[in-house]
Amino acid sequence: MNDIPADLHYTTKHEWLRRLPNGQVEIGISDYAQNALGDLVFVEVPEIGRRLRAGEACAVVESVKAASDVYSPISGTVVAGNAELASHPELVNLEPYTAGWLMRMEIDAPEPTLLDADAYAKHLAIQVR
Amino acid sequence: MAFIPHTSDDITAMLQVIGVQSIANLFDEIPSELLVGPLALPAALSEMEVGRLMADRAACDGRYLNFIGAGAYEHYIPAAVWAIATRGEFYSAYTPYQAEASQGTLQVIYEYQSMLCALTGMEVSNASLYDGASALAEACLMAVRANRASESRRVLMPRTVNPTYIKVSHAIAGNQGITFESVDFDRTEGRTLLQSLHRYQGEDFTAIVLQQPNFFGNLEEVDELTDWAHQNNILVIAVVNPISLALLSAPNLWGLSGVAKRGADIVCGEGQPLGVPLASGGPYFGFMATRMQYVRQMPGRVVGRTVDTDGRAGFSLTLQAREQHIRRSKATSNICTNQGLNVTAATIYMSLMGAQGIERVAVASMRNTDNLVAALTSIKGVRPAFAGHKFHEAVLLLDRPVAPVLAKLAGRGILGGLDLAEHYPELGNALLACATEVKTNNDIETYANALADVLSQRS
Amino acid sequence: MSELPVHPGLELREALIFSLSRPGRAASTLFPLHADAVQITEQVLAQIPMHLRRRIAPVLPEVSELQTVRHFTRLSQMNFSIDTQVYPLGSCTMKYNPKACNTYAMLPEFMARHPLGPETQGFMSCMFELQEMLKEITGMRGVSLTPMAGAQGEFAGVAMIRAYHRSRGDLSRIEILVPQAAHGTNPATASMCGCSVKEIECDANGDVDLGALQAAVGPNTAGIMLTNPSTLGVFERKIVQVARIVHEAGGLLYYDGANLNAILGKVRPGDMGFDVVHMNLHKTFATPHGGGGPGSGAVGVGARLLPFLPIPLVGCEGSRYRWMSERDLPHSIGRLSGFMGNAGVNLRAYIYMRMLGRDGMVRVAEFATLNANYMMKRLTAAGFEAAYPNRRASHEFIISLRRENSLFQITAMDVAKRLLDYGFHAPTTYFPLLVPECLLIEPTETETKQDLDRFCDAMIAIREEMQQAPEKLLTAPHTMPVRRLDDVRAARELDLAWKPVG
């Protein structure tokens, strides 16, 4: 069963987004995505200061059998990358929604519509079928 | 039937199991209008006949006393090298995808990677690329991925780099929008001067290519050139001759004492001098090594050491997620098959020779080339083209066009070198010649006498 | 105390060569410069400015000749190979590599021939005749032997397609179509040529979906890359329609020769409507795979692409063979290798083709197909599921283990590893990606019925084990030098080179 926390927003490409109290957002990949990739062996996060458009490839998650791009759910500027992942990529497998976050961003354009937890669960149900 | 072991009983039994009358029925899904009649091909030869044919063709090619280098060098190859490399277990195996049944090939590649790292001083090496020329093209593509400070996709390409490597880089990397800025060389010393780079100061370049020794056989001032590049956020791609690395500074140390405190970033080159015969230009192998920080931008296969479920050490292909069969259109390169058997030969060669043996080969080649240059330049009408330091190859200037002279020498069974008229017309009647360790004083004298004789005739 | 690793009997384990090394040991009979070596070295080194000299010698092994011979011979024994095992690796055409091809390609005159030397006619005539034979086999107008592997042949092919469109000022054609089941090199090649990739679906019978194709082509279409028979092990029956659709849309057709063995002498890519083809000489024409190369990926083209062939080619004027270069083909896509590609591999292919001759070519396709269909029948009769049971197999076929996977939790990987214990190299697993838990099996024409039967019997025995003793599969292999390897650790804790201690 896939873990889909109710307080997060999702994309159809399996990224999640969390609003932080300071107005920034935190971004990672969903439990479903980490499970589909298998044991991660390498994670590359974007450098601080990089400006991203919504839908732009910005990070890479790599397992022994797959390497996948992560796309930014929103437009904005990267303010932090999860440095822990360089030596511990398995954090994304173990705690995809907490310690396995990929990056934090400052939003500079109005947010596009993202999926809520229910909508993402439905999206997964269709995809898995 | 050539290489087909089926008896008529086998065929009958197999057709029966399949449930068809004849082998022709097995092709009944192919639209009949597409089937062709007999092709216009020669009839089959027996092994004995083909052996005779090839012996005749080989005799027709003959043997020459060779003084051409220019990227393919005639070194002595110990008998053990190909006796082992052509063992069926190496020769007829596939790429080691089933690691447990391919530990031999995998361990050879791991040992090769280790030796290549030792020679170049770099941290990681791949399992090989096709040849030196295409390795440089791949290095340029890799530099674009690795140098995130640069957006220009422009590469500085000195004219002292092997001109064919430059052409191949254009053909392969050009399709991805990479452009090359040609940098001229100093006519007196035959090398790239630091001053010639100053005009590019502050411009955005992705990489610079530095060949050591350069195509003329001369030594580049790699330290100051490397340091300049790094001060300008330009990656350094070193193209090196592996034999020369016994004597010349390892690329990881180039420029290290300079302001930027950083050696070459990507090292590549032609592996042929390490135990691979001249053989009309291939198969050879290209090598590539780099810093650990760029390992995921490096193309080609890589073998890693790991453990099995019992905790025993073993080897497997790793970092495969970069490769075409997983990453598809986003792969670092489309390369899959590389030059495994030649790598096997090179690994055996490096083991047999060791650092000491390779150093002796380098020293003997340098000494013979010195002797060759001395013998040839003592002939009236021959002088050295450049004043700089060199490794085991040199450019000589003749008093008349080179091609007819070479043709006359070839008529006497001597390959006198490479005519540079096509690639460097501005040098005049320039000849690139090389004498590796396999040449004797007698060979050099034979060449010198023949050249003196040819030049004594009126051109 | 013994420091050296012990090798009891025939147990296959071998320490790294670096651990055999001892300072001062050397195979010195192999070195040049016996007399005065020290003195000459000093003199020569003095000519190199100090700052350009190597300061610390590289750490390479210091071993005897016997140690080296024994080490690498023992390593060779830790490999499966065609010479020692049946090797039914789908899409790789692991047929016998005749010894004569190696022996005669390594004649001393061929070995010593410098690539920049004179155009000696022995070698040149072999290359010219090879070009001509490949033209005839593929139904093409010109052939270049310079690509050094299948992937480089693909690159040359797509680069020529791009050059063709560019030469007509048709700059918008940068989209390459590939069927879903295509080999990963196809999309990777398209990217290397600066093209984008569009995937086309296949229908339930493994043919390209013509509706999807029609919808996908347009003014941006540069071409389509196809393998026929496809990677699904079946002949693409609608190939003539596919060619018409793509040509009418202004695109060209690229033939990936990975599966040429299936139709050698039977059907020609040129007659199917292809404009450009690459051949894997290391598959169809029996040159060795060498543990991962060298291969050779010759390309053939129809009339429209002739001006763009990669150089050099071998031309023939009167009775003289000569290199054709930039001057002869000013619109060529250029050079892909330092000299003329993998000449020695081409020579081996030439020798093989001369031994096959006209009739032998057709028999390759016939018996490769016979062997594959026979095995498919035997395995499906024993309960295995063929991916396309209503189709003829080409020279290869796909077994899907999805049923076994849901019944016994056994994967294709488990079966592959268990086959090693039975003394067979595994078929290709997990390719094509379309078919779940798949084994792609290609026996080739050079295997006997008796060996095919042994392989089928092993598969049937493994099927029994799935039910009776599944742990034998889950923990396989049991008889190899190592058990299953930890790929995750290999990639997380990269150990890519031995380093001296300290």
Side-chain angles (χ1 to χ4, degrees):
Chain A
M1 199 47 222
N2 292 301
D3 180 17
I4 308 175
D7 59 329
L8 304 180
H9 303 271
Y10 301 87
T11 70
T12 54
K13 291 182 169 168
H14 313 294
E15 291 89 13
W16 57 258
L17 179 147
R18 170 184 288 128
R19 290 210 179 78
L20 300 174
N22 64 2
Q24 296 175 348
V25 295
E26 190 169 78
I27 289 158
I29 64 169
S30 72
D31 186 42
Y32 169 83
Q34 70 78 17
N35 199 32
L37 285 163
D39 291 330
L40 292 189
V41 297
F42 179 71
V43 177
E44 185 186 289
V45 297
E47 56 271 38
I48 293 169
R50 185 164 155 202
R51 298 190 49 127
L52 296 169
R53 292 181 314 277
E56 186 177 344
C58 58
V60 177
V61 282
E62 181 184 315
S63 70
V64 288
K65 58 179 183 179
S68 183
D69 287 322
V70 179
Y71 301 92
S72 178
I74 51 127
S75 298
T77 307
V78 179
V79 292
N82 186 349
E84 272 295 290
L85 300 180
S87 49
H88 295 288
E90 67 274 15
L91 286 175
V92 177
N93 295 114
L94 297 172
E95 299 175 44
Y97 297 111
T98 51
W101 63 279
L102 296 178
M103 58 179 173
R104 297 199 181 114
M105 292 176 69
E106 200 87 70
I107 302 179
D108 64 16
E111 274 177 67
T113 323
L114 297 172
L115 305 178
D116 63 18
D118 280 351
Y120 182 59
K122 285 201 189 92
H123 172 72
L124 285 186
I126 293 165
Q127 190 163 50
V128 171
R129 194 190 64 197
Chain B
M1 294 187 286
F3 312 116
I4 291 170
H6 299 61
T7 67
S8 59
D9 287 351
D10 289 339
I11 298 169
T12 310
M14 291 169 82
L15 290 174
Q16 205 161 27
V17 168
I18 300 169
V20 293
Q21 293 294 313
S22 72
I23 291 178
N25 294 134
L26 298 175
F27 294 87
D28 56 12
E29 288 189 358
I30 300 179
S32 57
E33 70 273 17
L34 289 179
L35 294 171
V36 288
L39 299 178
L41 295 169
L45 298 179
S46 68
E47 183 176 313
M48 183 171 76
E49 289 166 331
V50 93
R52 178 60 190 266
L53 173 78
M54 297 312 290
D56 290 348
R57 300 266 169 109
C60 174
D61 286 346
R63 290 292 294 269
Y64 289 87
L65 184 60
N66 171 48
F67 292 91
I68 314 177
Y73 298 99
E74 184 184 358
H75 290 294
Y76 181 71
I77 302 172
V81 171
W82 285 94
I84 301 174
T86 53
R87 281 180 65 92
E89 299 93 324
F90 285 134
Y91 187 79
S92 73
Y94 192 69
T95 299
Y97 281 135
Q98 290 292 337
E100 300 86 352
S102 314
Q103 285 295 300
T105 290
L106 286 164
Q107 185 170 335
V108 168
I109 297 172
Y110 180 86
E111 292 180 356
Y112 161 80
Q113 290 172 183
S114 306
M115 293 179 197
L116 230 287
C117 288
L119 267 183
T120 59
M122 303 304 280
E123 291 166 316
V124 290
S125 155
N126 70 9
S128 80
L129 296 164
Y130 303 130
D131 72 353
S134 63
L136 175 56
E138 288 279 5
C140 294
L141 292 170
M142 174 180 162
V144 170
R145 296 188 294 267
N147 189 350
R148 303 209 172 143
S150 165
E151 289 175 356
S152 69
R153 301 173 89 88
R154 292 164 79 204
V155 174
L156 284 167
M157 186 70 91
R159 290 189 63 223
T160 53
V161 173
N162 184 325
T164 308
Y165 286 26
I166 299 176
K167 285 185 181 174
V168 172
S169 296
H170 275 276
I172 293 178
N175 273 304
Q176 294 188 48
I178 293 172
T179 57
F180 298 91
E181 179 77 24
S182 184
V183 181
D184 211 350
F185 59 90
D186 180 68
R187 293 288 182 280
T188 320
E189 303 214 11
R191 62 180 175 86
T192 309
L193 296 185
L194 182 60
Q195 297 92 285
S196 65
L197 296 176
H198 285 154
R199 55 188 285 221
Y200 303 114
Q201 189 80 33
E203 283 187 52
D204 181 0
F205 284 95
T206 302
I208 184 170
V209 179
L210 298 176
Q211 183 174 342
Q212 180 80 322
N214 68 26
F215 184 66
F216 302 132
N218 296 330
L219 301 187
E220 298 278 2
E221 286 294 338
V222 287
D223 290 328
E224 58 187 42
L225 298 173
T226 297
D227 199 42
W228 177 86
H230 285 148
Q231 288 180 62
N232 288 279
N233 293 321
I234 298 169
L235 292 189
V236 172
I237 299 171
V239 179
V240 292
N241 176 332
I243 297 288
S244 77
L245 290 178
L247 305 182
L248 302 179
S249 68
N252 70 314
L253 300 179
W254 291 5
L256 199 68
S257 55
V259 178
K261 303 233 174 296
R262 189 178 159 98
D265 301 286
I266 303 170
V267 181
C268 63
E270 175 57 68
Q272 177 272 334
L274 300 170
V276 179
L278 291 173
S280 297
Y284 297 168
F285 72 94
F287 59 84
M288 181 181 278
T290 187
R291 307 166 178 281
M292 187 55 96
Q293 75 182 100
Y294 299 135
V295 69
R296 283 183 162 77
Q297 315 306 334
M298 181 171 65
R301 287 178 174 145
V302 183
V303 170
R305 183 157 58 162
T306 181
V307 294
D308 70 3
T309 48
D310 291 345
R312 241 185 326 188
F315 304 88
S316 70
L317 291 173
T318 190
L319 296 174
Q320 293 192 73
R322 303 164 300 128
E323 291 191 63
Q324 47 74 28
H325 62 283
I326 291 177
R327 199 89 162 111
R328 296 175 78 85
S329 66
K330 288 182 172 170
T332 49
S333 166
N334 72 348
I335 193 167
C336 25
T337 290
N338 39 60
Q339 307 284 114
L341 198 66
N342 302 84
V343 161
T344 304
T347 310
I348 300 168
Y349 179 87
M350 288 189 276
S351 303
L352 287 168
M353 302 301 281
Q356 192 195 355
I358 295 175
E359 185 189 85
R360 289 267 201 99
V361 169
V363 165
S365 300
M366 262 184 88
R367 164 52 63 98
N368 281 342
T369 298
D370 277 344
N371 290 345
L372 177 71
V373 170
L376 299 186
T377 52
S378 69
I379 299 167
K380 186 168 174 295
V382 184
R383 60 190 171 89
F386 303 118
H389 301 285
K390 61 185 188 307
F391 178 53
H392 70 1
E393 204 157 10
V395 180
L396 302 168
L397 296 176
L398 306 189
D399 63 359
R400 67 196 76 182
V402 172
V405 175
L406 287 179
K408 283 178 190 158
L409 288 169
R412 300 175 184 214
I414 296 168
L415 304 184
L418 181 72
D419 180 5
L420 296 183
E422 185 192 333
H423 297 304
Y424 302 95
E426 72 274 29
L427 289 180
N429 302 318
L431 169 72
L432 180 66
C434 162
T436 60
E437 85 281 11
V438 299
K439 294 292 173 289
T440 62
N441 291 337
N442 202 21
D443 294 334
I444 291 167
E445 204 179 305
T446 304
Y447 179 16
N449 290 341
L451 183 63
D453 195 37
V454 168
L455 294 182
S456 70
Q457 298 159 18
R458 295 173 55 160
S459 51
Chain C
M1 183 193 86
S2 162
E3 307 169 76
L4 294 176
V6 177
H7 312 297
L10 275 174
E11 187 186 309
L12 288 177
R13 235 186 289 177
E14 182 68 13
L16 287 175
I17 192 158
F18 300 98
S19 71
L20 308 177
S21 177
R22 289 296 176 273
R25 193 181 285 150
S28 57
T29 48
L30 305 175
F31 301 173
L33 284 182
H34 275 282
D36 313 324
V38 175
Q39 192 196 347
I40 294 175
T41 301
E42 268 174 29
Q43 292 167 359
V44 161
L45 276 177
Q47 299 170 32
I48 303 174
M50 194 60 98
H51 65 284
L52 296 179
R53 275 190 223 166
R54 185 160 193 138
R55 268 146 274 179
I56 304 162
V59 181
L60 295 179
E62 296 179 75
V63 287
S64 72
E65 183 170 334
L66 173 59
Q67 282 183 300
T68 308
V69 168
R70 198 174 277 162
H71 174 74
F72 289 101
T73 301
R74 287 182 55 84
L75 287 183
S76 79
Q77 292 169 333
M78 292 162 69
N79 269 0
F80 273 30
S81 67
I82 302 174
D83 281 7
T84 49
Q85 277 88 13
V86 176
Y87 214 121
L89 198 59
S91 104
C92 300
T93 312
M94 300 298 283
K95 63 169 76 175
Y96 173 55
N97 309 142
K99 298 295 174 191
C101 301
N102 188 52
T103 300
Y104 294 121
M106 291 186 79
L107 291 174
E109 291 86 350
F110 292 140
M111 293 284 89
R113 192 173 176 281
H114 195 287
L116 300 173
E119 292 167 332
T120 57
Q121 297 290 291
F123 171 77
M124 301 283 286
S125 63
C126 295
M127 294 300 101
F128 182 80
E129 289 169 20
L130 178 58
Q131 288 174 186
E132 293 297 303
M133 288 193 286
L134 293 175
K135 269 157 68 175
E136 173 68 8
I137 285 166
T138 54
M140 290 287 154
R141 293 280 301 279
V143 163
S144 167
L145 303 171
T146 167
M148 291 176 282
Q152 227 195 18
E154 283 184 37
F155 175 86
V158 177
M160 283 190 275
I161 290 175
R162 277 210 77 179
Y164 167 78
H165 291 308
R166 262 195 218 125
S167 74
R168 295 155 45 94
D170 203 349
L171 302 178
S172 63
R173 294 192 179 273
I174 54 162
E175 204 166 77
I176 292 284
L177 310 177
V178 298
Q180 253 176 344
H183 196 268
T185 49
N186 290 172
T189 299
S191 300
M192 275 196 89
C193 292
C195 293
S196 57
V197 178
K198 201 186 247 184
E199 292 206 345
I200 307 292
E201 298 199 354
C202 298
D203 66 22
N205 288 316
D207 290 320
V208 167
D209 183 334
L210 291 185
L213 178 65
Q214 190 72 64
V217 295
N220 296 329
T221 303
I224 186 169
M225 300 178 83
L226 282 176
T227 314
N228 197 15
S230 73
T231 52
L232 302 176
V234 294
F235 192 85
E236 173 58 65
R237 292 172 290 191
K238 294 182 259 177
I239 183 59
V240 176
Q241 292 93 305
V242 169
R244 195 173 56 233
I245 291 171
V246 174
H247 280 149
E248 279 174 3
L252 299 184
L253 278 86
Y254 178 90
Y255 181 84
D256 177 331
N259 295 340
L260 185 64
N261 213 54
I263 57 165
L264 190 58
K266 285 272 175 192
V267 185
R268 307 193 302 172
D271 299 338
M272 291 191 259
F274 286 96
D275 301 285
V276 49
V277 34
H278 93 261
M279 296 149 266
N280 295 299
L281 302 188
H282 49 288
K283 296 181 182 176
T284 315
F285 300 108
T287 70
H289 284 78
S296 182
V299 285
V301 293
R304 282 190 278 197
L305 295 181
L306 268 179
F308 307 107
L309 275 171
I311 46 178
L313 311 180
V314 183
C316 181
E317 278 164 4
S319 59
R320 188 167 172 81
Y321 304 101
R322 69 166 183 92
W323 292 117
M324 294 172 72
S325 64
E326 288 84 352
R327 275 190 293 277
D328 305 284
L329 284 101
H331 301 291
S332 163
I333 58 162
R335 290 178 183 267
L336 304 176
S337 71
F339 302 101
M340 70 138 305
N342 285 337
V345 179
N346 297 335
L347 207 48
R348 284 166 176 79
Y350 172 76
I351 296 166
Y352 173 73
M353 291 170 77
R354 293 303 306 266
M355 286 194 286
L356 280 188
R358 186 175 46 235
D359 301 332
M361 301 275 175
V362 191
R363 281 199 291 260
V364 164
E366 291 178 345
F367 286 85
T369 304
L370 177 67
N371 280 0
N373 278 282
Y374 173 71
M375 287 175 88
M376 183 165 86
K377 213 49 160 199
R378 271 212 63 190
L379 291 175
T380 49
F384 286 100
E385 181 190 0
Y388 297 96
N390 302 321
R391 300 289 312 266
R392 294 267 185 240
S394 61
H395 65 316
E396 62 188 355
F397 63 100
I398 300 172
I399 293 292
S400 170
L401 298 172
R402 73 180 145 189
R403 251 181 356 221
E404 290 80 353
N405 182 242
S406 63
L407 284 175
F408 314 117
Q409 284 74 55
I410 293 294
T411 65
M413 166 87 81
D414 299 326
V415 173
K417 299 301 182 197
R418 188 64 181 144
L419 273 167
L420 303 178
D421 285 333
Y422 280 83
F424 296 97
H425 194 280
T428 297
T429 53
Y430 301 103
F431 178 80
L433 306 168
L434 276 187
V435 183
E437 297 300 330
C438 71
L439 297 175
L440 179 61
I441 303 174
E442 180 183 4
T444 82
E445 72 279 6
T446 57
E447 296 298 339
T448 62
K449 175 177 179 294
Q450 290 68 38
D451 280 324
L452 303 182
D453 284 333
R454 284 198 306 115
F455 179 85
C456 293
D457 293 343
M459 286 287 287
I460 292 163
I462 291 170
R463 201 156 195 283
E464 285 290 307
E465 288 176 349
M466 287 181 201
Q467 302 159 57
Q468 310 301 332
E471 70 286 352
K472 283 190 181 164
L473 277 81
L474 295 170
T475 56
H478 304 269
T479 57
M480 296 291 111
V482 291
R483 306 289 291 276
R484 275 189 222 187
L485 293 156
D486 187 345
D487 288 333
V488 173
R489 174 174 160 147
R492 274 192 190 153
E493 300 167 31
L494 289 174
D495 174 356
L496 308 179
W498 174 87
K499 302 256 170 17
V501 183

